[in-house]
Amino acid sequence: MNDAHGIVTIDTGFQRPNFDAAYLIVEHGRGAYIDCGTQHSVPAMLDALSWQGLRPEDVDWLILTHVHLDHAGGAGALMRALPNARLAVHPRGAPHMIDPARLVAGATAVYGEEEIARSYGEIAPVDAARVREVRDGETLDLAGRPLLCIDTPGHARHHLCVWDERSRSWFTGDTFGLSYREFDNAHGAPFVIPTTSPVQFEPEPLKASIRTMLARDPAAMHLTHYGRVGDVARLGNDLIEQIDAMVALARQAHGHADRHGRLVDSLAALYVERARAHGAPLSPEDVRALLAIDIELNAQGLEIWLARENAAARPVQVRAAPAEG
């Protein structure tokens, strides 16, 4: 789908249709990708380019919002097909793109080699000479079109979002949550929930990042999960409200014999109730099924954050020095 501002939404095909998006911005015959999906997504990324009458050598940038594998797993493979492109990434994420061994090891430990191959394919390195570390407030140039990169922690400490003044919109990665089209109500209004992440979720920075984006009065947000959404002020307020509610649920579950199970159930109940109030055309069972993976990941992210917070709050025991005699 190509909009009036030269922004193309690409379904990367990860997991299911309309689940994982990447974007192509076209300006005066030059292109910039934002996020790229997995190695399996490379054909769809290149097809989108040809549909716009562009060649691989016409791409100047592959910009990663962060290096989680559903956003960046295919970066090395895609960069091999783009002879003139540079990879733009948060400084904290750059080492993992140059040497993805730790990313691969961590994901393999969780999912196993067979699942990694099925879902993500090869996770290839990117030549360090082609990697541009993008710091907060830096602007990338796409044929005279400025793309402003802002540090947006909360979902991950290596997360950035991209402001496109031409369309007055943000490319948000996971900072502005998840909005699947199945939840749109009869008026076409979108529904949104936050996404935490094992292991770097931080609620206050995430809320601050959302407020930073809202301060520019954007016309739209381009989410990885999934697509362009408007009604931005309402969605931003919904996200901040839900982050607080999710933190409260995590605290309530702390110390429970089945903490994880209780948190999963309470998060599911929260999203079911909010989807019902929104008018989403889904049964409670459908809501739980569509959000099953996200509920599990949100529970894990909240638990890891709470354990880290509780550990930091414990007083340090200091032994008194023996008296000199």
Side-chain angles (χ1 to χ4, degrees):
M1 180 175 64
N2 189 352
D3 74 5
H5 301 287
I7 298 170
V8 182
T9 303
I10 305 166
D11 189 335
T12 71
F14 181 66
Q15 299 293 3
R16 63 177 175 83
N18 298 333
F19 176 79
D20 189 76
Y23 296 92
L24 172 65
I25 306 175
V26 178
E27 185 72 16
H28 297 309
R30 306 302 299 176
Y33 289 113
I34 299 182
D35 287 341
C36 62
T38 72
Q39 182 203 12
H40 303 315
S41 309
V42 171
M45 301 293 288
L46 296 177
D47 283 348
L49 196 65
S50 66
W51 294 336
Q52 302 305 308
L54 300 182
R55 304 162 300 168
E57 50 265 42
D58 297 327
V59 176
D60 293 334
W61 296 104
L62 168 55
I63 306 170
L64 301 179
T65 60
H66 59 306
V67 302
H68 290 165
L69 295 181
D70 52 331
H71 300 254
L78 182 59
M79 287 292 286
R80 287 198 297 247
L82 306 175
N84 299 321
R86 297 185 68 190
L87 180 81
V89 62
H90 192 286
R92 288 179 179 267
H96 298 290
M97 292 291 94
I98 296 167
D99 179 5
R102 287 179 59 193
L103 282 180
V104 175
T108 302
V110 174
Y111 300 113
E113 290 185 6
E114 184 175 336
E115 178 59 22
I116 291 298
R118 185 189 73 81
S119 290
Y120 302 103
E122 179 192 14
I123 302 168
V126 179
D127 182 355
R130 301 181 68 190
V131 174
R132 163 84 176 268
E133 295 187 9
V134 183
R135 302 187 183 278
D136 182 39
E138 287 194 44
T139 297
L140 304 177
D141 178 74
L142 176 64
R145 182 172 180 166
L147 301 173
L148 174 66
C149 300
I150 297 293
D151 188 23
T152 51
H155 175 78
R157 293 173 187 167
H158 56 274
H159 202 297
L160 59 83
C161 291
V162 181
W163 172 250
D164 175 39
E165 181 65 34
R166 175 73 54 79
S167 62
R168 294 204 56 77
S169 65
W170 286 99
F171 295 86
T172 68
D174 284 342
T175 296
F176 207 74
L178 314 168
S179 181
Y180 301 130
R181 303 281 60 79
E182 293 93 336
F183 288 82
D184 292 356
N185 66 20
H187 305 289
F191 175 75
V192 72
I193 70 168
T195 172
T196 77
S197 63
V199 293
Q200 293 185 348
F201 169 63
E202 296 170 302
E204 293 307 317
L206 182 54
K207 290 192 294 184
S209 294
I210 292 167
R211 291 184 176 114
T212 294
M213 290 192 288
L214 293 176
R216 286 183 177 264
D217 190 25
M221 302 294 203
H222 297 272
L223 281 59
T224 300
H225 309 289
Y226 176 89
R228 181 188 186 278
V229 296
D231 203 5
V232 171
R234 174 182 66 82
L235 294 181
N237 289 333
D238 284 352
L239 286 169
I240 290 169
E241 192 176 275
Q242 287 180 80
I243 292 166
D244 288 338
M246 289 161 58
V247 164
L249 293 175
R251 295 191 192 282
Q252 291 166 16
H254 184 65
H256 193 273
D258 180 17
R259 180 184 65 186
H260 183 75
R262 178 168 178 169
L263 184 52
V264 165
D265 287 344
S266 62
L267 288 173
L270 172 68
Y271 304 143
V272 165
E273 174 56 28
R274 293 189 71 95
R276 184 201 62 78
H278 177 69
L282 299 169
S283 69
E285 293 75 21
D286 288 338
V287 172
R288 289 173 181 262
L290 279 168
L291 295 180
I293 294 174
D294 302 308
I295 291 168
E296 174 64 26
L297 291 175
N298 277 359
Q300 291 180 25
L302 286 160
E303 289 176 284
I304 292 169
W305 161 75
L306 188 57
R308 190 169 61 240
E309 182 187 68
N310 288 339
R314 291 192 193 104
V316 177
Q317 299 295 324
V318 180
R319 292 185 179 179
E324 296 182 5

